[in-house]
Amino acid sequence: MTARLLDGKKVAQGIREDVAKKTEELKSVGLKPGLTVVLVGDDPASKVYVGQKEKACREVGFKSDLLELSGATTQEELLEVIGRLNGDPSVHGILVQLPLPRRIDPDAVLEAIDPAKDVDGFHPVNVGHLVAGIPCMVPCTPLGVVRMLESYGIDLAGKHAVIVGRSAIVGKPMAHLLLAKDCTVTICHSRTPDLASFTRQADLLVAAVGRPRLITADMVKPGAVVVDVGINRLETGLVGDVDFEAVREVAGWVTPVPGGVGPLTIAMLLENTLTAAIRSRR
Ligand code: NAP
């Protein structure tokens, strides 16, 4: 049996069209969603990500601003910039591109963002609300995973979800979202002994590790839904955390890399910004 593909690009396109339509409708009430991305320094990968986000914003009709700050920017200067953006009513979403230069404490910066404008969902207030089950800004990547599974009609209730990776950006919020969807959730990490003994129990396996092809076919339960969040740049090109070619012969559903989770992340950023703009009027 060859697994069916979870086509993230297609799902993301549908979400983008929906956001564009709603943005057009908001014109009648004089509201134009605005996202400001703050980039400190000139990390080449960050520049690529920021460029993709800006392009996506423009395409759906948002006001999109990029603040490029020099790598020598101090933490105080950055906090001042964020304070100004917090007070600007035309800015509904603020995204500080990570990683920041080492001198700057990312926690201090993320905590300075108004939680209502925290479209990345990294502020402790949003993290706490997610854990408590209170509506909030949810991190884009795990939110995108849930949206993709739902759009394919994959029933999550009662499924044993095994998540490999416990980062604040992906693994942990993923666990809370799946718990809220009535999954039984197991979280694995680098100190988990015999990883395969856990992954083989998964009805839904989410790999968010950053290790090329860590998940091999023998680690996957036949018929499982396999979601590959990993993005690993090898000399031969981009690969995920899942050995795609082998795993697709065992799994029921699988995401490709690229074209799986990645496009959903940007689509969810657009949706979060739209939500922040609408809530700003309440
Ligand atoms: P991260 O912060 O480095 O976290 C990696 C997690 O994997 C950690 O919890 C780590 O465990 C665990 N881990 C490392 N080696 C392991 C092993 N051998 N066995 C089991 N667990 C292991 O990474 P992240 O930010 O979550 O990102 C994960 C991957 O997703 C990366 O490839 C990243 O590029 C990609 N990503 C993609 C998107 C997208 O839009 N598609 C968005 C975000 C991230 P410890 O906690 O014990 O160290």
Side-chain angles (χ1 to χ4, degrees), residues 49 140-142 164-171 187-192 195 207-211 214 228-233 239-241 257 260-266:
Y49 291 138
C140 302
T141 301
V164 189
R166 57 173 165 182
S167 72
I169 294 171
V170 189
I187 309 177
C188 302
H189 46 79
S190 69
R191 306 294 294 273
T192 301
L195 181 65
V209 185
R211 301 273 181 279
L214 175 79
D228 190 353
V229 179
I231 300 176
N232 306 289
R233 279 167 220 286
V239 298
D241 292 342
V257 174
V261 177
L264 262 308
T265 298
I266 294 189

